[in-house]
Amino acid sequence: MTAPLPADTLARLKAVLGEGGWSQDPERLAPKLVEQRGRWRGATPLLALPKSTAEVSAVVGICAADGVAITPQGGNTGLVGGQVPQGEILLSTDRMRAIRDIDVDDDAIVVEAGVPLAVVQQAAADAGRRFPLSLASEGTATIGGLISTNAGGTQVLRYGTMRSLVLGLEAVLPNGEIWNGLKRLRKDNTGYDLKQLLIGGEGTLGVITAASLKLFPVLASRAVAIVGLASPAEAVTLLGRAKAESGGQVEAFELMGRQGVEFTLRNIEGTRDPLDRPYPWIVLIEIASGEPGGAEAALERTLTAALEDGLIADAAVAQTQAQAQAMWSLRENMNFGQKPEGSSWKHDISVPVSLTPQFIAEADAALLARWPTLRIVAFGHVGDGNIHYNITRPADGTDAEHDANRDAAGEIVHDIAASLNGSISAEHGLGVMKTEEALRYKSDVEVAANRAIRAALDPKRIMNPRVLF
């Protein structure tokens, strides 16, 4: 909890924000002070709701002068608690929702930080273009939050993380100054790239207020299939073949273990297994091509050869858009399907793609040796080595008993990931959940460099002070 907010600071903040620009109403604040799973709950003396970059600048400037801490928040979809204030001013981008410009010649769209991802996707589509970032919370997750956490999602395999999709940024730095870096350049070799420090910075180096984002052509054909196989090792082999057969046109390659599939089928109405019998592992493959019929042909070549070689046991190919959406629904509901089963330890790790099978095998063995009745749900973006490795409580256990072992299990999982040159956070960030733990895996040199950068830009450490190093 930070120090109490001085009365004169509060008055000046209210004055610069004006009518409708702030709130202390408990009902208005309540949904912004709790993480979506209820794991973190917070408090704030003031919800700041600036409607422009100038107002953000004024708020940050006042807080910088008075040494008052700020927690920025977008759509509040974060999963590591970094967006939930613990006494800091809560600065929300809710009212910054303008699409400032879209240019198909530059293949760029300029949007404010509070615009939800789904709105950006639709604006791009209306202009005959595509913004490829996609994730389950795209209806509420905002561009500013996605950039601040360097979000990934299901298309990273082909298009990269948010870091690869940002051309330029506008941001308010920790002293209140506005940095206008909304360039649309693909090349700019003129020194340090400030935007790359802000991307993934979780609001610690400033408040992102707008972004210039890359757009892509709408592809002519798209094909989706779910295949059944025996192991993650076979999935990695299949991925290599799909890349080769499609000429690098694989957009998504999502691995799902049987336990997670069963939870989803049992608990999410309308989901179904497209295969005739259960398999230990299934993979959702999506290929997209600029050539009419190209995606379908590449997928057919991939699956035919894999079936003939015995690499996969079965496959179901979507014949309609509705069937493709149903297949994606099985993957997108994987987290929601776990909720009715009780408490779950969530891990968001990445390892080199080739070592994904080894990570799963070692983590399974280590955890089950200690807690034999755990129910392990492993799924995720095997195409980029990112596995959401979740452990649900035993069927006959209690949430309290399970939660008591969360930290011990996390150390086991993260030690294994680190031993394989992996990361303890692939796409969710560190937040308050993993900041202290990350110090176990970072070198002294890296931590010192990060702290020096932060101290240079935010010497009073007012920006999201509980997050990162």
Side-chain angles (χ1 to χ4, degrees):
M1 184 72 70
T2 58
L5 183 66
D8 61 328
T9 304
L10 185 61
R12 282 184 288 139
L13 289 172
K14 290 179 178 179
V16 300
L17 289 165
E19 185 178 357
W22 58 271
S23 180
Q24 292 176 304
D25 178 1
E27 291 188 7
R28 178 75 183 277
L29 267 58
K32 294 185 173 296
L33 298 178
V34 59
E35 182 256 353
Q36 60 180 287
R37 296 169 301 183
R39 185 171 176 188
W40 288 277
R41 296 180 182 274
T44 183
L46 183 74
L47 169 62
L49 294 157
K51 66 178 183 297
S52 67
T53 301
E55 288 188 1
V56 175
S57 174
V59 169
V60 176
I62 290 170
C63 291
D66 292 1
V68 173
I70 300 169
T71 294
Q73 187 181 99
N76 194 20
T77 60
L79 296 172
V80 289
Q83 78 281 15
V84 180
Q86 298 294 335
E88 303 89 14
I89 295 293
L90 179 58
L91 193 157
S92 169
T93 58
D94 273 0
R95 297 205 298 164
M96 301 184 67
R97 297 201 170 196
I99 294 178
R100 296 184 183 176
D101 190 26
I102 186 166
D103 192 311
V104 296
D105 291 330
D106 285 338
D107 275 330
I109 183 170
V110 180
V111 303
E112 291 187 344
V115 179
L117 173 57
V119 174
V120 176
Q121 293 169 339
Q122 187 59 55
D126 291 344
R129 292 294 187 269
R130 180 180 178 221
F131 185 65
L133 187 75
S134 181
L135 37 77
S137 60
E138 59 196 29
T140 50
T142 62
I143 291 300
L146 293 167
I147 294 173
S148 293
T149 56
N150 187 29
T154 56
Q155 267 72 39
V156 169
L157 176 59
R158 186 166 185 176
Y159 297 100
T161 63
M162 202 63 166
R163 194 177 294 282
S164 300
L165 298 173
V166 175
L167 293 170
L169 291 178
E170 174 189 86
V172 174
L173 301 182
N175 62 1
E177 291 182 336
I178 298 171
W179 173 58
N180 186 353
L182 282 177
K183 297 180 179 180
R184 303 180 187 184
L185 302 177
R186 263 65 176 180
K187 289 183 175 181
D188 182 5
N189 197 10
T190 55
Y192 300 128
D193 192 345
L194 181 55
K195 74 174 184 294
Q196 293 296 349
L197 291 177
L198 291 163
I199 299 170
E202 298 190 45
T204 59
L205 300 181
V207 180
I208 294 167
T209 54
S212 175
L213 305 172
K214 294 179 184 178
L215 298 180
F216 295 84
V218 176
L219 299 178
S221 60
R222 189 171 297 275
V224 177
I226 279 184
V227 303
L229 31 72
S231 71
E234 291 177 341
V236 171
T237 301
L238 180 62
L239 171 63
R241 292 198 180 183
K243 287 179 178 180
E245 289 290 352
S246 67
Q249 296 176 331
V250 180
E251 292 223 339
F253 198 89
E254 299 291 304
L255 179 70
M256 293 167 270
R258 193 68 217 170
Q259 183 70 84
V261 173
E262 292 294 342
F263 284 169
T264 304
L265 295 174
R266 179 160 68 226
N267 297 318
I268 304 299
E269 185 177 357
T271 54
R272 58 176 295 271
D273 190 337
L275 302 177
D276 291 335
R277 64 180 180 87
Y279 290 92
W281 297 87
I282 63 174
V283 165
L284 184 150
I285 308 173
E286 180 167 294
I287 295 175
S289 171
E291 178 185 355
E296 294 87 346
L299 183 61
E300 182 179 358
R301 290 194 303 271
T302 300
L303 298 181
T304 298
L307 284 166
E308 289 176 350
D309 294 346
L311 179 62
I312 63 177
D314 196 5
V317 178
Q319 301 300 316
T320 66
Q321 181 62 27
Q323 289 179 0
Q325 289 174 345
M327 290 179 179
W328 268 110
S329 177
L330 188 61
R331 164 61 182 87
E332 291 169 346
N333 281 296
M334 196 66 51
N335 264 318
F336 301 110
Q338 295 170 59
K339 288 186 176 182
E341 301 293 331
S343 176
S344 180
W345 307 328
K346 307 285 187 179
H347 303 100
D348 166 45
I349 66 91
S350 64
V351 296
V353 172
S354 63
L355 299 181
T356 301
Q358 183 177 343
F359 165 79
I360 293 174
E362 290 187 12
D364 284 1
L367 291 173
L368 292 175
R370 186 162 177 180
W371 300 286
T373 56
L374 293 177
R375 295 177 291 172
I376 296 174
V377 178
F379 68 98
H381 325 300
V382 73
D384 51 61
N386 175 195
I387 297 298
H388 299 297
Y389 190 80
N390 301 340
I391 302 99
T392 301
R393 67 165 172 80
D396 59 353
T398 68
D399 287 353
E401 291 169 340
H402 192 60
D403 290 344
N405 295 315
R406 177 189 287 121
D407 291 344
E411 184 172 336
I412 291 171
V413 171
H414 292 160
D415 281 353
I416 293 170
S419 74
L420 299 175
N421 292 316
S423 169
I424 68 170
S425 180
E427 61 181 3
H428 294 164
L430 294 178
V432 296
M433 179 181 179
K434 298 180 181 178
T435 287
E436 184 175 352
E437 183 185 9
L439 294 172
R440 294 182 57 231
Y441 305 103
K442 297 285 187 181
S443 70
D444 292 343
V445 171
E446 185 175 359
V447 172
N450 275 269
R451 286 175 172 167
I453 292 168
R454 183 166 187 170
L457 291 177
D458 184 12
K460 294 183 179 180
R461 200 178 175 95
I462 67 165
M463 300 303 303
N464 222 0
R466 295 169 295 107
V467 172
L468 303 190
F469 314 121

